[in-house]
Amino acid sequence: MTPTVTVVGSGTLVPSGERSSPAHFVECGPTRILLDAGPGTVHGLARHGLAWWKITHVVFTHYHTDHFGDLPHLLFAAKWASPGPRTRPLRILGPPGLTDRVEALRRAHGDFIVRPGFELDYVEVDRSGIWRGADASPVLRFHPVPHTDSSIALRVEIADRAVGYTGDTGPDPRLGSFLRGVDVLISECAYPDPAPPGRHLSPASVAAMAGRARPGVLVLTHMYPQLDPGSAASLVRAAGYRGRVVCASDGERFVLE
């Protein structure tokens, strides 16, 4: 089994006809992991031919609406629109604060948030922790990043391959080491240089982080309108990064080889 990762949403909170809010789909055999679920994710999964009803894990990097907003839609669709019964539990993982938000969603939307008619587990993870599946796959590793009080980056290790995902983050000198050697590194690149201080990355800070991480391919995403997606990759190269770098589009698929 060769793992793949599909960019479901490469955008931001800014409405766009071409880019949905952040979401990425990692698939390896029966394991299907959704990394973030911003608005438009569920329709995006269907649009790109991805088996949304077979998702086994959802992992949130933080709780801003553009990363978290489609969770009720996913659970509602799984309860009422799945083409067949689930054969595996759904595990939803996130940093501290998940339990409180789930209870708020239950009050707002209904009991299907916690009892959708199939086995569902919510797991709050340590921001510097590790989570392993029952059969030791996948392995999820977490790293705290400077964006919100609970934000994390993560790496997904599955079938001897690895996907890294920065989530939203400001510059962090430790992040490159945490993500070192991943096959695919999905990195936000929100603003042109110089970026607003502290909360997001720009081409120069992405280049510095990726230079330490040395991924197989660097995939740029989460660009605000101030940064032209057509020039983002060249700006990262101009800032000194020498590896393979591409700008993500919704529906783009990467094979972890």
Side-chain angles (χ1 to χ4, degrees), residues 5-246:
V5 57
T6 303
V7 178
V8 181
S10 61
T12 65
L13 60 85
V14 179
S16 167
E18 298 178 351
R19 298 177 181 274
S20 294
S21 292
H24 308 86
F25 189 76
V26 180
E27 186 172 9
C28 184
T31 299
R32 294 169 172 88
I33 307 167
L34 184 63
L35 309 180
D36 283 336
T41 292
V42 179
H43 285 302
L45 289 164
R47 185 179 305 114
H48 301 306
L50 301 170
W52 57 267
W53 64 94
K54 294 183 178 180
I55 289 172
T56 55
H57 305 75
V58 181
V59 188
F60 290 108
T61 60
H62 64 294
Y63 302 116
H64 282 163
T65 302
D66 60 329
H67 292 252
F68 186 70
D70 232 24
L71 177 60
H73 185 185
L74 177 63
L75 294 172
F76 197 63
K79 180 175 178 63
W80 295 110
S82 292
R86 290 189 62 89
T87 58
R88 294 182 65 178
L90 175 60
R91 291 192 166 85
I92 299 177
L93 301 92
L98 179 63
T99 301
D100 290 343
R101 285 168 174 82
V102 168
E103 174 56 21
L105 289 174
R106 185 198 64 78
R107 293 196 304 270
H109 295 280
D111 285 348
F112 75 89
I113 295 292
V114 293
R115 290 189 292 276
F118 52 82
E119 185 178 347
L120 171 65
D121 296 323
Y122 288 100
V123 182
E124 280 196 9
V125 299
D126 187 299
R127 294 178 72 205
S128 299
I130 301 172
W131 184 90
R132 291 180 171 86
D135 57 356
S137 181
V139 176
L140 307 175
R141 302 181 188 273
F142 309 104
H143 175 79
V145 292
H147 183 68
T148 71
D149 290 342
S150 62
S151 293
I152 54 174
L154 66 106
R155 58 185 294 154
V156 179
E157 298 172 357
I158 189 168
D160 298 323
R161 296 290 184 266
V163 177
Y165 178 36
T166 66
D168 283 5
T169 179
D172 175 0
R174 303 168 299 163
L175 185 55
S177 298
F178 170 72
L179 297 169
R180 181 166 294 158
V182 298
D183 298 275
V184 174
L185 171 50
I186 302 165
S187 174
E188 73 133 271
C189 189
Y191 292 104
D193 291 305
R199 293 170 61 87
H200 284 290
L201 299 179
S202 62
S205 52
V206 169
M209 180 272 296
R212 290 186 286 268
R214 290 176 282 181
V217 58
L218 172 63
V219 180
L220 305 178
T221 187
H222 202 268
M223 283 159 280
Y224 283 98
Q226 295 94 320
L227 179 61
D228 175 17
S231 65
S234 61
L235 291 172
V236 171
R237 293 188 197 100
Y241 184 63
R242 297 293 176 257
R244 181 186 171 203
V245 53
V246 299

